[in-house]
Amino acid sequence: MEKTEDFIKLDQFLKYVGIAQTGGQAKLIIQDGKVKVNGVIETRRGRKLVTGDRVTVGQQTFRVQFE
């Protein structure tokens, strides 16, 4: 992930890692309470993620890391 800004929005991140194919799909996954950020359920698709944040969907956990 290139560092063009200091954050990425949660819905964009889910598309980036391949959990969601579209923004609409990402929105539904988030609104259904299936996503945790740093261990806490997150329902805001615009949540800004920064380096070091952990995003968990099901049994998969991803760490946000900018190059």
Side-chain angles (χ1 to χ4, degrees):
M1 193 176 335
E2 256 184 64
K3 185 172 183 177
T4 55
E5 297 182 18
D6 293 335
F7 67 88
I8 184 171
K9 291 183 180 179
L10 180 57
D11 58 348
Q12 294 171 339
F13 184 77
L14 293 182
K15 289 192 302 184
Y16 177 79
V17 297
I19 293 294
Q21 297 296 315
T22 66
Q25 187 180 24
K27 176 183 173 181
L28 292 175
I29 293 168
I30 295 165
Q31 287 180 337
D32 286 347
K34 297 179 180 176
V35 180
K36 290 183 181 179
V37 176
N38 299 325
V40 178
I41 292 174
E42 181 58 72
T43 57
R44 297 172 295 167
R45 71 181 198 183
R47 162 75 186 262
K48 293 179 181 177
L49 303 173
V50 296
T51 295
D53 281 341
R54 293 181 330 274
V55 178
T56 304
V57 182
Q59 300 299 315
Q60 295 182 301
T61 299
F62 303 90
R63 187 167 185 269
V64 178
Q65 181 67 48
F66 295 100
E67 294 179 12

